[in-house]
Amino acid sequence: MLGDKKVLFSGMQATGSLTLGNYLGALKNWLTLSDEFECFYSVVDLHSITIRQDPTEFRKKARNLLMLYIAAGLDPKKNCIFYQSHVSGHCELAWILDCFTYMGELNRMTQFKDKSAKHADNINAGLYTYPVLMAADILLYQADVVPVGKDQLQHLELTRDIAGRFNALFGDVFTIPEPYLGKAGAKIMSLQDPAKKMSKSDENPNASIYLTDDRDTVIRKFKRAVTDSEASIRYDVENKPGVSNLIEIYGAVTGKTFAEVEKEFDGKGYGDFKLAVGEAVADMLTPLQTRFDELSKDKAYIDGIVKENAEKANYFATKTLRKVQKKVGFNEIIR
Ligand code: TYM
């Protein structure tokens, strides 16, 4: 708790352009939760260097991501929007938690297995301990709730295990966080291969909708989305994964249930349906893109936000860190 509000922490990596999956799985929920909770939203740039980045490009991507949080509608005066690398406590706590995490636990992480297969020439130690840094992110702010997409649930479970283990040894140090999944959109699939999740790093540009895609591109990508030959708009993930993914997207964007979507398109063809999904998504993205362009021109405003929020995040992070350092038996810093 911070004051009378529960605490929320979440973050995204700055490794590519954000996709519709990131938006519907995470960012959209952040917006609806932002009044109810004391929120910390981080651009998790420390996590991003587990994969090689071009420094100039990376700096730009991270800054764009921070601006995108604001462009999506998060008020940076109410929500603490900050770069993870500006708060050294994340790394300091991660090291301590590393010593309370078992290799057996990390060996089971599916994201580690996937990423090592994809980047076989760079299976670094950071990629392996990535989930512990994520646990540190969350526990540092004593977060009660963590809105994420389904692919992050395993990391959340590990975070809870580490926190529980630490608390069992040292008393009630950490709040045990709960994951928060939105009603729809927790796992948006690729438009070209609905067996795969929509991902920032997909090599096929038609597979993902990027939040920066213009209207024509969005509509064109939906027109090309893989469906099936049955020509009926029905939610059935097993037999109709492509169409079900489009229903999921349309439902998440419009707030309609799957049944309502099915009814709306009863008797209509895939062409009409795909166009409607494309238009709904484009309508949702246009104001975000306009706001993003405005923010890009206001360097002083963004710099001010970055400074102010880094100070705020550091303040709360340090409180937890000092407590943890004391618990494990480090000598106090003399000032
Ligand atoms: P990242 O950057 O891969 O993704 C950011 C958020 O988007 C969600 N997401 C999706 N949701 C639905 N459908 C999809 N296709 C899809 N793709 C991505 C993710 O679940 C995530 O919520 N490890 C995290 C970042 C992180 C973090 C944290 C998150 C670091 N520390 C602490 C929460 C709390 C990651 O790589 O997310």
Side-chain angles (χ1 to χ4, degrees), residues 11 13 21-22 25 130 134 137 148-149 151-152 185-186 188 198 200:
Q13 290 202 65
N22 298 126
Y130 175 114
M134 180 160 160
D137 298 341
V148 282
D151 62 331
Q152 295 301 318
I188 301 298
M198 186 180 283
K200 283 176 231 163

Side-chain angles (χ1 to χ4, degrees), residues 34-45:
S34 113
D35 283 338
E36 193 185 332
F37 293 92
E38 186 67 43
C39 300
F40 293 86
Y41 293 118
S42 187
V43 170
V44 293
D45 48 1

Side-chain angles (χ1 to χ4, degrees), residues 13 109-115 130 151-152 154-155:
Q13 290 202 65
M109 295 293 118
T110 53
Q111 191 165 307
F112 171 68
K113 290 185 210 165
D114 291 350
K115 286 200 178 165
Y130 175 114
D151 62 331
Q152 295 301 318
Q154 196 186 32
H155 291 160

